[in-house]
Amino acid sequence: MCSIKIESVVKEKNRMGECPVWEERENALVYVDINSQKVCRWNSVTNKVHSVSVDARVGSVALRKCGGYVIALGTRFAFLNWETESVTTIAELEQDKPNNRFNDGKVDPKGRFFAGTMAEETEPGVRARRQGALYTLFPDYFVVKQLDQVDISNGLDWSLDHRTFFHIDSLAYAVRAFDYDVHTGKIVLYQLEKEEQMPDGMCIDAEGKLWVACIDGGRVIRIDPETGKRIQTLKLPASRITSCCFGGKDYSEMYVTSAYDGLDKAALAKEPRAGEIFKVIGFCFFQLKDLNILGWLVLVQTCHLCPQI
């Protein structure tokens, strides 16, 4: 019988913690705090958090094969040198949309970096619709727009056979699936229920099931992409759950980010763990027998953007 356990492992509060990525070579969890304009790294051995401030809201981060990180901040792609804390811009986009910024991103099975944009709110609850897009940054720094007229480009991942691309546009309240090669045959994979609120970040497990963070829903839900059914719900001790990833030894632990921005004083008093990062253990399904699966999970977190510059 499995026994799921949830604990808070990063007590340092995040205004908008997002895009967790496990960095095996450092035994660390890398993530961003969007609204604090920081890229952060929590060392699981020392339990220390180190962060690097950048000059714009940073929506996502991914590992580079040669070390350091690629980040999507403001409306540009850039490299982050962790040792020198320097940022080098490699591509600028959407210069005609000053109210846009990058949001979630992830590396595909071939090492290309996908990240999407969204319009910022002009006042609470008000934003221009369908201003975002989804882009791919290739190893030669060439950028391709994959999707247009997106509201809030968010969670993304690929099926274990690499043939299907899953994407969340948060204001559609759904997870959609695309043929990965030609991006045709879009379907609604799962429509969120009322209590699940809005979908945010997402990851995939070793059985090919999707885990979707539900911001304002206080949970992560597990979805079977073959049936479009929810098969498991993890409730967390914070309402604004933003994203998730697998990491730790054998990638058997799930790390879940959260946010405290958007909560008033009364809500914060009821949610003392808002903005913390949680670790979930005790999954029955995650007994890896095929090391190639583990290798793939590592591969998709490593970006091949490593020419000398």
Side-chain angles (χ1 to χ4, degrees):
M1 186 71 179
C2 297
S3 179
I4 297 292
K5 296 181 180 179
I6 300 171
E7 64 173 310
S8 173
V9 291
V10 181
K11 307 294 185 181
E12 185 173 307
K13 307 288 188 180
N14 294 283
R15 292 181 60 190
M16 187 62 67
E18 270 280 12
C19 196
V21 181
W22 184 256
E23 186 169 14
E24 188 174 16
R25 61 194 170 203
E26 299 288 342
N27 287 312
L29 186 74
V30 182
Y31 57 97
V32 301
D33 186 340
I34 297 174
N35 293 348
S36 294
Q37 300 182 187
K38 295 190 300 184
V39 180
C40 309
R41 190 166 76 185
W42 169 70
N43 187 299
S44 64
V45 178
T46 65
N47 201 32
K48 298 289 180 65
V49 176
H50 179 213
S51 61
V52 174
S53 295
V54 294
D55 63 3
R57 289 186 175 182
V58 52
S60 47
V61 58
L63 314 181
R64 295 180 68 197
K65 190 175 181 180
C66 53
Y69 308 101
V70 58
I71 58 177
L73 74 166
T75 53
R76 67 189 198 268
F77 288 115
F79 291 143
L80 171 62
N81 185 311
W82 193 256
E83 303 303 323
T84 64
E85 301 189 359
S86 61
V87 175
T88 303
T89 297
I90 52 178
E92 296 191 48
L93 303 161
E94 300 190 359
Q95 299 301 293
D96 59 331
K97 296 180 178 180
N99 201 44
N100 274 19
R101 69 162 173 85
F102 268 111
N103 201 39
D104 210 352
K106 191 168 286 185
V107 176
D108 83 345
K110 294 296 184 181
R112 295 165 292 212
F113 186 43
F114 279 59
T117 58
M118 57 176 280
E120 294 273 36
E121 291 185 339
T122 52
E123 57 183 273
V126 178
R127 76 176 76 242
R129 298 295 302 270
R130 299 179 179 86
Q131 296 300 301
L134 178 70
Y135 297 93
T136 304
L137 175 64
F138 286 80
D140 61 0
Y141 309 163
F142 187 65
V143 177
V144 171
K145 181 187 289 187
Q146 302 282 8
L147 298 174
D148 206 352
Q149 297 190 0
V150 176
D151 278 311
I152 301 177
S153 184
N154 228 319
L156 59 166
D157 219 319
W158 289 261
S159 61
L160 297 183
D161 64 7
H162 308 169
R163 294 179 179 178
T164 306
F165 171 61
F166 302 106
H167 180 253
I168 289 172
D169 182 347
S170 289
L171 294 188
Y173 293 87
V175 182
R176 291 191 169 98
F178 300 79
D179 180 275
Y180 179 60
D181 291 327
V182 293
H183 299 279
T184 60
K186 181 167 65 174
I187 61 171
V188 175
L189 177 69
Y190 180 79
Q191 192 76 35
L192 267 71
E193 298 179 6
K194 184 176 180 180
E195 72 272 12
E196 292 164 351
Q197 297 292 328
M198 181 183 293
D200 202 327
M202 174 171 61
C203 67
I204 195 167
D205 65 32
E207 292 186 344
K209 305 300 189 289
L210 300 174
W211 291 86
V212 178
C214 301
I215 192 165
D216 296 323
R219 67 195 69 193
V220 178
I221 58 175
R222 190 182 189 216
I223 298 169
D224 185 338
E226 296 297 322
T227 65
K229 302 294 185 182
R230 182 188 66 221
I231 54 179
Q232 191 172 354
T233 298
L234 297 180
K235 293 188 176 180
L236 283 297
S239 63
R240 309 215 76 205
I241 299 302
T242 56
S243 194
C244 54
C245 76
F246 285 97
K249 185 179 179 180
D250 296 331
Y251 287 75
S252 60
E253 302 164 347
M254 176 186 284
Y255 290 89
V256 182
T257 52
S258 69
Y260 71 78
D261 269 14
L263 299 176
D264 58 23
K265 289 184 178 180
L268 285 170
K270 295 178 181 178
E271 294 187 32
R273 292 187 175 180
E276 296 181 9
I277 296 176
F278 306 98
K279 180 173 73 172
V280 185
I281 61 174
F283 296 106
C284 287
F285 64 85
F286 219 93
Q287 301 299 321
L288 290 178
K289 298 179 181 178
D290 183 353
L291 293 180
N292 289 327
I293 296 177
L294 176 60
W296 179 75
L297 288 171
V298 175
L299 172 65
V300 298
Q301 295 177 1
T302 304
C303 191
H304 293 172
L305 297 165
C306 294
Q308 296 297 317
I309 60 170

